[in-house]
Amino acid sequence: NVTGSPFKDMEGHWAEQYTTQLYNLKIINGFEENGVYNYHPDENMTRAQFAVIMANKLGLQSSSEAVLPFEDTNSIPDWALSAVKAVYESGYVTGSVEADGKLYFNPNNPITRAEAMTLIGRTLSELDEDAPLDFLDAGEIPEWALIYMRTLAAKGVINGYEGKLMPLANITRAEVAKIVATM
């Protein structure tokens, strides 16, 4: 276990304690750049990165013969493939049906706050469909994410910013660290 931040770019950052905790638990990794380890806290989290973090957090393993139904399976990076298989096999990730009617994972796309909360919400044993959502932008939450965002807001896993949840906004790597650390 490291004391202090394992990531050079997290020293003094508001999410430093969360990234250090998750690094010590082997849930997150960073990027080695010129002998320095960075986390890139303010970059958007990709769907592949989030799958890896959630598989690590939940201790999920995939069966190596698992077949993914996504049209873009070949574009999933090798470092994320087993994690994507694990979260798919567990039912936490379903993919997105695109305009061509086919199912995609979109591994390199940023994950939105609603998508991330849906994946996290699917891991919970109990959901609260009647939990209040006292946020100015609650009407922007997609129907498929509503029960999960209600539940996670009621549990204090998500708090929002200035009265808003911003469900359609991309989620940053720092925001994910805080949410996963407080799950």
Side-chain angles (χ1 to χ4, degrees):
N1 282 4
V2 297
T3 56
S5 181
F7 307 111
K8 184 74 174 151
D9 62 352
M10 290 306 295
E11 293 169 7
H13 192 281
W14 65 264
E16 180 180 0
Q17 72 184 69
Y18 306 115
T19 57
T20 301
Q21 174 189 348
L22 295 176
Y23 176 84
N24 285 332
L25 294 170
K26 297 181 177 22
I27 293 172
I28 64 167
N29 290 304
F31 305 91
E32 187 177 337
E33 298 157 333
N34 302 319
V36 175
Y37 216 43
N38 289 311
Y39 184 69
H40 299 278
D42 302 318
E43 287 183 6
N44 291 329
M45 175 73 62
T46 68
R47 294 170 57 85
Q49 290 167 349
F50 193 70
V52 170
I53 288 172
M54 289 305 295
N56 291 344
K57 170 73 175 174
L58 299 168
L60 300 176
Q61 302 291 323
S62 80
S63 57
S64 55
E65 63 274 353
V67 176
L68 293 170
F70 309 119
E71 288 294 313
D72 59 350
T73 294
N74 290 340
S75 68
I76 298 171
D78 289 343
W79 53 263
L81 189 58
S82 66
V84 173
K85 287 181 178 183
V87 292
Y88 174 77
E89 288 176 309
S90 300
Y92 302 141
V93 165
T94 57
S96 305
V97 177
E98 302 290 327
D100 62 5
K102 297 177 180 172
L103 191 64
Y104 290 85
F105 181 70
N106 299 314
N108 301 313
N109 286 8
I111 190 166
T112 67
R113 294 171 60 80
E115 290 167 341
M117 294 314 111
T118 296
L119 195 160
I120 291 170
R122 286 178 178 149
T123 70
L124 302 175
S125 56
E126 290 183 29
L127 298 172
D128 186 353
E129 63 188 74
D130 298 319
L133 266 179
D134 300 324
F135 295 92
L136 300 170
D137 59 352
E140 295 175 22
I141 299 171
E143 186 63 36
W144 47 263
L146 193 55
I147 191 170
Y148 305 114
M149 292 192 87
R150 281 185 183 281
T151 302
L152 293 170
K155 291 181 176 292
V157 174
I158 51 173
N159 304 314
Y161 296 97
E162 298 172 2
K164 294 183 176 183
L165 281 176
M166 299 179 290
L168 304 178
N170 297 329
I171 193 166
T172 68
R173 293 176 51 81
E175 291 167 337
V176 167
K178 180 183 182 207
I179 289 167
V180 172
T182 58
M183 278 173 57

